[in-house]
Amino acid sequence: MVSSFRAMQAGLNPAAVTRRVVSALRSATASKKASRGTVLSWALYDAGNSLWPMTITLYVALWFIDDHNVREVIYGTVYSSSLVVVALVSPVLGAVSDRYGRRLPFLMLFTGVAVVAMSLISVGENLTLSLFFFALAMFTFQSALLYYDALLDAVADEESRGRISGLGVAMGYTGTVVGVLLLVPFVQLGGRGWAFLPTGLLYLSLSLPCFLFVKERFREPWRWSYIIEGYQRVFQTLREARRHANVFRYLVARLFYIDAITTVTVFVATYTVKVLDFTDDMNRALFLVGAIFAVVGAFVYGRVVDWIGPKRTLVLVLAQWAVVIIAGASTVYPASLCAIGVLS
């Protein structure tokens, strides 16, 4: 317990977090493909986009369900529907991007729309419109991630991909920690709804270095026919499903485990407030504990990927999540949830 408490104190020290990031950056940027500045610019986007899931967990769900009495089933349906749309169109979006040979234009477009949508959720008193902006923010945010992940190829070679990916995840959790602290004054001043606009502006600000300094090789000019060709590629892939059996098995498996993790992260704050009588301050503390230790875990698992490969690493991570979910559902004590949060 003492060692864990000291580790949490070290994680709360900004200088300690900075040293971890700088150390990882130095080792990760051994890549021959990109400079340190390019890698850092790419990773800063992860720091920005991590703010939106954090805001959903801590504020958006409670703003709808607790502050405005939207039923959980309605909120959950809107959230799930936006993800279903993403699942249906993302293969085409990916195929269009592959045909065009570029990711950044799509990343900029979807990020821009996501920033606007998340900033408008609490504007006005029409809850239907708020739910629409929330769904739009979810769709465009998830679509942007598709291109951000694919952009890794522009900053990393095969040898350094795991370490640089780990750096991005670590920067994401670091952005989460900083974002939680920065949003506190806004929430205390105007309530949970005041967190949405600052989240959008911070997301945009941390995305700009990626937009400006990560470079792609321009292959071909844009043609609208790429959209039709994207659909054709998807249908061709489906027809050749047997040749890609491992990929399809992975996608089906991913659907199940991502669904479980997403459900927990989206509704955990609602559960703790309504069932365990947590305050927003207690939820922030719980979230910070998990995020701080996740910074360390990102560096560790980045190395593990390079060491034992992605599949075995994924199995380890999913086993850890299973322990977290089962243990979290089995306790009603705040201190125990904080301890469990270390593993999340």
Side-chain angles (χ1 to χ4, degrees):
M1 289 293 290
V2 173
S3 61
S4 297
F5 179 71
R6 288 180 179 173
M8 184 175 71
Q9 284 184 315
L12 286 169
N13 185 337
V17 173
T18 301
R19 284 195 297 271
R20 292 193 191 105
V21 173
V22 171
S23 175
L25 182 61
R26 287 173 177 169
S27 62
T29 53
S31 169
K32 298 178 181 179
K33 296 191 65 174
S35 66
R36 291 180 179 179
T38 301
V39 172
L40 181 58
S41 297
W42 176 84
L44 279 173
Y45 185 94
D46 222 326
N49 70 20
S50 67
L51 298 170
W52 177 234
M54 174 270 295
T55 302
I56 291 176
T57 300
L58 290 179
Y59 302 121
V60 175
L62 287 169
W63 185 80
F64 279 113
I65 296 170
D66 198 41
D67 295 352
H68 292 86
N69 298 314
V70 174
R71 294 174 59 192
E72 288 91 338
V73 65
I74 294 176
Y75 175 80
T77 299
V78 171
Y79 185 96
S80 301
S81 298
S82 67
L83 297 184
V84 169
V85 175
V86 172
L88 293 175
V89 304
S90 58
V92 176
L93 295 177
V96 171
S97 174
D98 290 341
R99 180 65 183 87
Y100 184 33
R102 300 189 67 194
R103 323 292 182 192
L104 273 173
F106 302 99
L107 180 64
M108 294 178 186
L109 172 64
F110 284 109
T111 300
V113 177
V115 167
V116 173
M118 64 182 64
S119 300
L120 292 176
I121 291 174
S122 59
V123 175
E125 309 220 346
N126 188 325
L127 287 177
T128 301
L129 191 59
S130 296
L131 286 168
F132 167 77
F133 282 128
F134 170 62
L136 179 62
M138 283 301 309
F139 169 74
T140 50
F141 172 82
Q142 293 291 341
S143 298
L145 285 181
L146 172 71
Y147 299 109
Y148 173 68
D149 292 338
L151 198 60
L152 176 62
D153 187 57
V155 299
D157 55 22
E158 189 69 30
E159 182 181 352
S160 63
R161 187 166 295 160
R163 293 190 298 275
I164 292 180
S165 178
L167 171 66
V169 175
M171 288 294 285
Y173 282 117
T174 303
T176 297
V177 172
V178 175
V180 168
L181 300 177
L182 288 177
L183 290 179
V184 169
F186 295 96
V187 175
Q188 291 178 339
L189 182 63
R192 292 164 178 148
W194 277 39
F196 306 155
L197 177 59
T199 297
L201 294 177
L202 285 169
Y203 179 21
L204 178 62
S205 299
L206 290 169
S207 301
L208 290 177
C210 181
F211 298 161
L212 295 173
F213 301 117
V214 175
K215 305 298 182 183
E216 296 180 288
R217 287 191 306 168
F218 186 75
R219 297 183 183 177
E220 297 183 28
W222 169 257
R223 295 188 180 91
W224 289 104
S225 61
Y226 291 160
I227 297 177
I228 298 176
E229 293 176 25
Y231 278 101
Q232 290 173 341
R233 287 191 175 195
V234 170
F235 291 138
Q236 181 180 354
T237 302
L238 292 175
R239 287 195 296 267
E240 299 174 352
R242 291 184 179 180
R243 294 173 53 189
H244 308 284
N246 282 337
V247 174
F248 278 90
R249 280 195 290 266
Y250 166 73
L251 292 175
V252 172
R254 186 178 186 276
L255 176 66
F256 284 102
Y257 71 72
I258 288 295
D259 180 67
I261 293 173
T262 300
T263 301
V264 170
T265 54
V266 168
F267 287 104
V268 63
T270 305
Y271 171 78
T272 56
V273 167
K274 288 191 167 287
V275 177
L276 304 181
D277 294 323
F278 269 39
T279 63
D280 281 353
D281 286 337
M282 295 169 70
N283 269 331
R284 280 191 288 267
L286 176 62
F287 200 89
L288 282 171
V289 169
I292 290 166
F293 280 92
V295 174
V296 181
F299 290 132
V300 171
Y301 280 116
R303 297 283 185 174
V304 172
V305 169
D306 293 333
W307 180 33
I308 65 173
K311 180 180 178 180
R312 292 179 180 177
T313 304
L314 177 61
V315 172
L316 286 176
V317 171
L318 293 180
Q320 184 172 314
W321 263 105
V323 171
V324 168
I325 294 172
I326 294 171
S330 304
T331 185
V332 295
Y333 301 106
S336 299
L337 283 177
C338 285
I340 295 166
V342 171
L343 295 175
S344 65

